[in-house]
Amino acid sequence: MSNTNPLLCFKELPHFADITPENVAEAVDTVLNDAQQRVAAIIADTTAANWERVLQPLEIVYEKISRTWNQVEHMRSVMSSPAWCAAHQENLNKISAYFAHLGQNAALYQKIRELAQGEAFTQLPAVRQKIITDTLRDFELSGVGLSADKKEPFRENSERLAALAAKFEEHLLAATQDFFLLIEEAQELGDMPADLRAIAADAAQQHEQQGYRFTLKPPSYLAFMQYVTNRSQRQKMYYAYVTRASELDAQERDNTPLVSEILQRRQQQAELLGFSSYAEVALQTRMAPSADAVLDFLRDLAERAKPFAEAEIAALKEFAANELALDSLAVWDVAYAAEKLRRARFDFSEADLRPYLREDKILSGLFSCLQQLFGITLRPMPASQVSVWQQDVQLMELCNTDGKVIGAVYLDLYARDNKRSGAWMAEALSRFYRHEGLQLPVAHVVCNFSKPVSGAALLNFDEVVTLFHEFGHAMHHLLTEINEYSASGIAGVEWDAVELPSQWLENFAWEWQVLENMTAHCDSGEPMPKSLFEKAVAARRFHSGLWLMRQLEFALFDMALHDGKSLNGNDIAAILQQVRQYTAVLPAPDYNRFYCGFSHIFAGGYAAGYYSYLWAEVLAADVFMLFKKSDTILNRTLGEQFRQQVLAVGGSRKAMDSFIAMCGREPQVAPLLAHHGLGA
């Protein structure tokens, strides 16, 4: 083993500043060779199977590979380059091949079955029993029980699917980075806030251009669509965004054939396993009992939400015609017209909040909120002690009230070239107890906020909510008290319950008791007036029906792609149009190819699972109602209860059991509808 390869340093925090693409091959080969030796030793052991001789070494295998590969995935996401993409793709094939073969290792599977069927199993703690049961299920879903003639095509499909997902993400990143629009006249920026204008002007100057440069990265794209007065330019920007990585974009990065192949191979995998659809396979590891149950849930929400959405779009059309001289409202006008209508109806614009939402104050306020809910503190580690991939990155230590360190979180908040768009939480290290002692959990919280030209960064309110959302995920990872790798933090949690902590924490950003101490005007330092916040609250549910129908469109489209029936004789664009006949209240143009950028289901973990956002929002709204009904929104007793009953237990028990332990009953949909103002 190399003594200098930073990817092979397992006793410390990752050495991100030292990692290069050239390190990847050696590190991957090393951890895979070690894994093969450990698995061979498990199988060769002829003594009675127990946790220490079977699952404990297997946990070490999983954790070591995951720790190494997580760093590679992370660097490709935040510092992407041709060299990183090549190193990732080459070694992803090795990782995929290893796990495809491991999942079909009949001898190892028999060892675990022997443990599950023996007397020792009943003496194990519940968390270990669940890990064993889940591991057997995962082996079966990996094709361990397939006949010899089916195992090889199943493995080939698994490896190919991993490569396709990586290529999909590369194409999307390239398409997002390559496009820009230059606005030369300042008056075309309309009411755009001064800091957003300054960011766009600075971007132009950095590229030796005159005017204001906008890109397809979310902060820039959203500002453009919301404020730019030139309608033809909005249409041009919209076209570029919804045709990214499609056949209407550059041919070398067209995701259309990748999407088709991904769907075909997923269906083949399902049929090889004896299921009728990929959706059935995916739901084996989720809370929802069946695809029909998911569809019933989504259609019920759609029936409730669509009348509200239709009324909202009718009012927007009337306003656009009467006040903006837009006789025909197009999709590229919606954000622009909606901003004008919000201002007229509520005497409020989202831009009014922005000068008060300084990133430093928002972060300190968020940390204070977490402290009051969970009794924890976050403190920055000195830069000299931290190895990071980019100078803006911070590492925060997480401590209990007694000062004991229980984890850490890296913050990478600003958009930049060669960084994946969006926001996410990812695992750097997981809580895991082995012979050397307890490894503490470490998370990444990554966003794409606009970096300030000077002074503190200013956020819009959606970005504040995003920050709370990702820290909800981080708390799920960091506040676990489970020491087994496969149930620690988010590991082992059903995918449609993973969003519960994140969506629950979002709600606190909308509470004055939380927000009043985390605002300061960028010029005067004065806190946000409560009257302004009350306007924001009044406008909160503005176009809530439209937002919900958009989410339902994504979820229903996802299920239609994976139900095993819709693709027969239909192309993907046709399926999307069928879904939109049910969900759309404003027609989208035929050239819309948003699915070529739908990385959640084609390059992430949400295939046949996008409904999870809405299902988890049901759970989150229901839990949050307990806090709303208490004497204070920052109720320490309820916060501790949520920590112990949901966050601390990780994946050690079923998510429904954790929800019932928190709320005393199964979830109800009424709080979600009330949350969106869509109740009776």
Side-chain angles (χ1 to χ4, degrees):
M1 179 182 294
S2 169
N3 292 321
T4 58
N5 191 322
L7 286 170
L8 296 174
C9 297
F10 296 111
K11 295 182 179 180
E12 304 168 327
L13 287 169
H15 296 187
F16 285 113
D18 301 324
I19 300 172
T20 68
E22 291 72 30
N23 299 137
V24 178
E26 179 195 25
V28 168
D29 290 344
T30 299
V31 295
L32 292 183
N33 288 336
D34 177 70
Q36 289 169 343
Q37 293 173 24
R38 290 181 187 272
V39 169
I42 296 171
I43 295 169
D45 190 342
T46 58
T47 55
N50 63 15
W51 176 270
E52 288 73 20
R53 288 192 291 270
V54 180
L55 262 298
Q56 179 71 16
L58 192 58
E59 291 266 283
I60 292 172
V61 165
Y62 290 151
E63 193 276 335
K64 214 168 185 181
I65 296 174
S66 176
R67 172 173 178 153
T68 303
W69 191 245
N70 282 349
Q71 294 177 59
V72 177
E73 290 272 17
H74 178 72
M75 293 298 289
R76 184 189 67 118
S77 296
V78 297
M79 297 294 287
S80 185
S81 66
W84 267 114
C85 289
H88 177 271
Q89 187 67 51
E90 175 189 345
N91 291 281
L92 174 64
N93 296 336
K94 300 176 188 176
I95 296 282
S96 302
Y98 177 78
F99 278 110
H101 282 83
L102 182 69
Q104 294 184 355
N105 189 319
L108 180 59
Y109 175 70
Q110 284 303 126
K111 276 282 185 181
I112 301 168
R113 282 193 65 187
E114 178 188 334
L115 173 55
Q117 294 169 356
E119 290 185 12
F121 179 80
T122 60
Q123 306 302 314
L124 290 172
V127 57
R128 293 185 174 183
Q129 291 186 18
K130 182 175 183 291
I131 289 173
I132 292 167
T133 302
D134 288 353
T135 301
L136 289 172
R137 176 204 64 199
D138 293 344
F139 268 88
E140 289 153 12
L141 293 177
S142 296
V144 72
L146 294 177
S147 58
D149 61 317
K150 292 182 178 179
K151 280 189 174 182
E152 186 57 32
F154 190 94
R155 284 198 299 269
E156 289 177 357
N157 266 356
S158 298
E159 294 169 31
R160 178 63 178 160
L161 281 166
L164 289 167
K167 187 59 67 176
F168 182 100
E169 194 68 57
E170 286 178 26
H171 287 176
L172 182 59
L173 178 60
T176 301
Q177 289 185 165
D178 281 2
F179 182 86
F180 73 91
L181 271 181
L182 195 67
I183 298 294
E184 296 180 352
E185 301 298 330
Q187 60 264 31
E188 288 191 18
L189 302 182
D191 300 326
M192 187 177 293
D195 68 304
L196 293 180
R197 290 174 179 240
I199 290 167
D202 184 64
Q205 290 173 12
Q206 289 183 23
H207 289 83
E208 298 181 350
Q209 296 169 325
Q210 297 295 317
Y212 305 87
R213 181 184 172 104
F214 295 89
T215 71
L216 297 179
K217 293 181 179 179
S220 183
Y221 173 77
L222 293 173
F224 189 100
M225 299 303 291
Q226 201 166 17
Y227 295 108
V228 168
T229 60
N230 187 317
R231 193 185 193 198
S232 64
Q233 291 286 65
R234 292 200 306 269
Q235 182 179 6
K236 189 182 296 185
M237 180 67 89
Y238 172 83
Y239 179 88
Y241 191 80
V242 300
T243 60
R244 287 179 303 165
S246 74
E247 83 278 12
L248 302 174
D249 189 14
Q251 183 177 358
E252 67 271 13
R253 59 181 185 230
D254 180 9
N255 275 340
T256 309
L258 274 63
V259 167
S260 296
E261 187 178 351
I262 287 169
L263 293 172
Q264 290 167 4
R265 287 183 179 273
R266 285 175 178 167
Q267 180 63 23
Q268 289 169 10
Q269 295 291 76
E271 292 173 358
L272 285 168
L273 290 171
F275 294 95
S276 64
S277 69
Y278 182 79
E280 283 190 18
V281 177
L283 291 170
Q284 299 302 304
T285 59
R286 292 173 183 160
M287 291 180 73
S290 67
D292 286 342
V294 171
L295 290 171
D296 287 345
F297 165 68
L298 295 174
R299 288 167 180 160
D300 177 61
L301 276 183
E303 288 177 10
R304 295 170 187 256
K306 194 168 186 178
F308 290 90
E310 289 172 334
E312 289 164 359
I313 206 68
L316 188 63
K317 286 180 177 179
E318 182 180 3
F319 174 82
N322 294 338
E323 304 297 331
L324 306 177
L326 292 174
D327 293 332
S328 176
L329 187 75
V331 285
W332 49 86
D333 300 320
V334 169
Y336 177 78
E339 176 61 24
K340 299 290 188 184
L341 177 56
R342 183 189 288 107
R343 169 70 78 180
R345 184 178 292 179
F346 300 102
D347 187 28
F348 168 77
S349 166
E350 291 179 348
D352 297 339
L353 301 177
R354 191 177 181 93
Y356 295 96
L357 303 177
R358 280 178 28 191
E359 174 211 310
D360 55 342
K361 288 286 290 183
I362 294 299
L363 276 174
S364 65
L366 168 59
F367 297 163
S368 175
C369 174
L370 296 173
Q371 181 178 23
Q372 293 178 74
L373 287 170
F374 302 132
I376 57 174
T377 58
L378 283 144
R379 62 191 186 201
M381 290 185 67
S384 60
Q385 298 178 20
V386 181
S387 176
V388 294
W389 53 95
Q390 218 277 342
Q391 62 181 5
D392 296 324
V393 175
Q394 300 180 69
L395 181 63
M396 313 291 292
E397 277 189 327
L398 181 69
C399 307
N400 268 331
T401 49
D402 59 5
K404 182 180 179 182
V405 176
I406 57 173
V409 56
Y410 291 95
L411 300 184
D412 183 357
L413 300 181
Y414 302 130
R416 59 178 175 269
D417 290 342
N418 299 320
K419 181 180 179 182
R420 188 181 122 201
S421 63
W424 65 93
M425 189 286 297
E427 304 162 17
L429 303 177
S430 295
R431 182 179 170 112
F432 181 40
Y433 190 85
R434 49 191 167 193
H435 298 306
E436 298 92 335
L438 181 63
Q439 174 177 282
L440 296 177
V442 181
H444 296 292
V445 169
V446 185
C447 299
N448 271 278
F449 303 150
S450 295
K451 187 175 181 179
V453 177
S454 61
L458 299 179
L459 308 184
N460 63 46
F461 201 77
D462 283 345
E463 290 172 331
V464 174
V465 172
T466 294
L467 198 57
F468 273 71
H469 180 101
E470 299 307 336
F471 261 88
H473 284 309
M475 292 301 101
H476 205 177
H477 179 63
L478 297 172
L479 295 183
T480 186
E481 295 178 5
I482 302 301
N483 294 333
E484 285 80 5
Y485 172 74
S486 295
S488 170
I490 293 172
V493 177
E494 295 97 319
W495 201 253
D496 44 5
V498 162
E499 297 293 333
L500 163 58
S502 56
Q503 296 194 353
W504 167 79
L505 193 62
E506 281 184 21
N507 292 297
F508 288 90
W510 282 100
E511 296 295 326
W512 180 245
Q513 185 182 343
V514 176
L515 192 67
E516 65 176 327
N517 296 317
M518 54 193 293
T519 64
H521 195 279
C522 58
D523 295 327
S524 68
E526 291 295 313
M528 180 187 295
K530 189 174 183 181
S531 58
L532 177 57
F533 173 75
E534 288 171 344
K535 289 181 180 181
V537 171
R540 180 183 183 184
R541 297 189 178 104
F542 177 67
H543 286 181
S544 193
L546 286 170
W547 179 88
L548 191 52
M549 290 307 296
R550 184 68 169 148
Q551 291 300 303
L552 287 162
E553 177 182 303
F554 293 155
L556 286 164
F557 178 58
D558 171 37
M559 291 302 291
L561 291 177
H562 294 103
D563 67 3
K565 297 173 287 189
S566 298
L567 275 176
N568 292 334
N570 293 306
D571 63 23
I572 296 162
I575 293 172
L576 179 57
Q577 289 305 319
Q578 291 169 11
V579 170
R580 283 180 170 157
Q581 288 175 10
Y582 186 71
T583 60
V585 293
L586 188 68
D590 290 341
Y591 60 71
N592 184 301
R593 299 288 189 272
F594 95 90
Y595 50 83
C596 288
F598 200 178
S599 57
H600 278 78
I601 69 169
F602 294 119
Y606 284 89
Y610 197 86
Y611 76 90
S612 301
Y613 282 102
L614 291 168
W615 173 243
E617 193 174 357
V618 169
L619 306 178
D622 212 347
V623 172
F624 189 68
M625 192 62 69
L626 298 177
F627 289 79
K628 288 289 285 184
K629 291 178 177 178
S630 72
D631 56 343
T632 172
I633 199 69
L634 292 170
N635 188 304
R636 181 72 179 85
T637 301
L638 284 174
E640 185 62 26
Q641 186 177 337
F642 188 77
R643 177 176 178 175
Q644 294 303 321
Q645 299 298 346
V646 177
L647 305 178
V649 299
S652 67
R653 65 184 179 192
K654 291 184 179 298
M656 183 62 79
D657 293 340
S658 295
F659 180 90
I660 293 172
M662 180 67 202
C663 295
R665 54 165 175 76
E666 293 192 355
Q668 300 171 350
V669 75
L672 169 69
L673 297 171
H675 175 74
H676 287 289
L678 305 178

